[in-house]
Each structure stands twice: as C-alpha cells, then as structure tokens.
Amino acid sequence: QQQVKQSPQSLIVQKGGISIINCAYENTAFDYFPWYQQFPGKGPALLIAIRPDVSEKKEGRFTISFNKSAKQFSLHIMDSQPGDSATYFCAPNTDKLIFGTGTRLQVFP
Amino acid sequence: NAGVMQNPRHLVRRRGQEARLRCSPMKGHSHVYWYRQLPEEGLKFMVYLQKENIIDESGMPKERFSAEFPKEGPSILRIQQVVRGDSAAYFCASSQTGYRSEAFFGQGTRLTVV
C-alpha cells in the first residue's frame, strides 16, 4: 500500500483561505480517484471523486484536479471553514480502495 | 435505509481471547471491505468479500485473522488469540458493485486488548 503518497501530513488554514492536498500514485491501473473525509470517532465518508477521462471536477467549494501523466490528483477546498476541519484521505482504486496516509486539516476562525 | 452497521462499537479483550467484529452492509450491497486504522494513521486494507466469497485477502495477516460474509447475516472479522498490537479501530465498508463505486463506511469497532 506504499503505492499512494499523500501530502502534506497536516495543514493549518485560516477561515476563508484555500486548502490544497495532494496525492501521488504509482499504479497506472487505478481508474477511480476519490477523496474521503473523516471526522474524529467516525468512519470516512466520500467527499468527491473523479474518473480519469476528465481533468477537473468541481462540487461546491471542493475541486479535484487530475494530472494523469504525472500520476497525481489534488483536492482544493475554497473558502475553507472551521467545519472542514477533519482528516482527508485520497483513495485511488480499481476494485478496492487503497488509502493515502491522510492529511489533518485545521481551519481556524 | 440504514447505513453500514458495525457492532460492537467498543470491544475490550484480554490477551489470548478471541474478538469477533460484525458488519451489516447497506441494503442491496453485496460487497464488503474491512480496514484497520491505528491512531493518527491511515486506513489499511485487510480483506474484500462478496457473498460467500473472499475476493482479496492480501491485507490480512496470515495467522489469527479470518473473515467471512455468509449468504445470510453479517460479515464477521475474527481475530483469534488477540495481542496488544491488534488494538485499533476496524472499519467495514460496503458498496453496490465493488468496482468504481462509492464505498460507505460504518462507524467502526474500537478494539482494545489489555
């Protein structure tokens, strides 16, 4: 499972700022690229996902950017809010999710 | 439509005992995954099952761990002769098709071995 590397490990952002989390993968067979959000004491929940036939997908304040040639995809959170404070995992997959190591995001008011 | 149900939420076992973790997938889902999460770490894939079949157990330790998903009833993750290193949160997820589909997670079972 070392085939997925996520950065940074932790991120502190002021309210209203932009949060950017990156994910690099090795397995070119991956064909589904989701980001999961996990609050303390809870299970992860799907936040947003992209398929490799598009380079960007936006849902509200959340955007995925996908760079197939570089084998990277990133999560951008615009106008970050304190309620966005959570741990974020990339989980590229074919038939099973392989999770990145996680990024702990803290948004301060 | 209830979500993925895991029980118990918390489980305490003494070293050497057996731990049985149960997972009821969402209605209509026939694909189940088990993950282990250590504090401050990511989720490590353990096993992927469909009804009555183990599809991928590449993340399962070779000894003491087993999983099943019978035709009727919940999926069970069994850990025999638990050791302190087994203490972790164990999450179950289910999906409808198992391929490129959203996986829904339960609240997890927190196992503590004393």
Side-chain angles (χ1 to χ4, degrees), chain B residues 11-84:
Chain B
L11 182 62
V12 179
R13 284 287 176 266
R14 296 187 185 278
R15 281 178 294 171
Q17 290 185 320
E18 178 180 284
R20 289 168 67 90
L21 288 62
R22 287 177 290 277
C23 169
S24 296
M26 285 183 69
K27 187 176 180 181
H29 287 192
S30 59
H31 299 254
V32 166
Y33 312 81
W34 285 93
Y35 289 83
R36 177 163 64 178
Q37 186 174 37
L38 294 170
E40 309 299 321
E41 292 192 10
L43 291 98
K44 294 277 178 19
F45 168 78
M46 299 183 74
V47 62
Y48 165 29
L49 311 106
Q50 291 183 39
K51 284 285 187 181
E52 301 184 275
N53 291 304
I54 296 175
I55 306 302
D56 183 341
E57 56 182 350
S58 58
M60 286 273 274
K62 293 287 185 282
E63 297 178 351
R64 301 188 299 110
F65 286 73
S66 63
E68 63 177 8
F69 188 17
K71 188 176 180 180
E72 302 291 337
S75 175
I76 306 287
L77 178 67
R78 179 187 299 174
I79 311 173
Q80 296 178 303
Q81 300 175 346
V82 296
V83 301
R84 289 236 170 95

Side-chain angles (χ1 to χ4, degrees), chain A residues 36-52:
Chain A
Y36 278 76
Q37 179 187 55
Q38 185 180 29
F39 293 103
K42 304 290 185 183
L46 179 67
L47 184 64
I48 186 171
I50 197 169
R51 302 202 189 283

Side-chain angles (χ1 to χ4, degrees), chain A residues 20-35 48-58 63-76 90-93, chain B residues 100:
Chain A
I20 301 175
I21 306 171
N22 301 298
C23 186
Y25 61 94
E26 299 173 1
N27 188 347
T28 54
F30 288 145
D31 57 5
Y32 179 60
F33 300 90
W35 285 94
I48 186 171
I50 197 169
R51 302 202 189 283
D53 50 342
V54 296
S55 60
E56 187 174 281
K57 181 176 181 180
K58 184 175 181 180
T63 300
I64 293 183
S65 296
F66 179 64
N67 186 332
K68 189 174 181 178
S69 60
K71 292 188 285 185
Q72 293 181 349
F73 63 111
S74 60
L75 174 68
H76 297 235
C90 62
N93 73 105
Chain B
R100 292 184 177 180

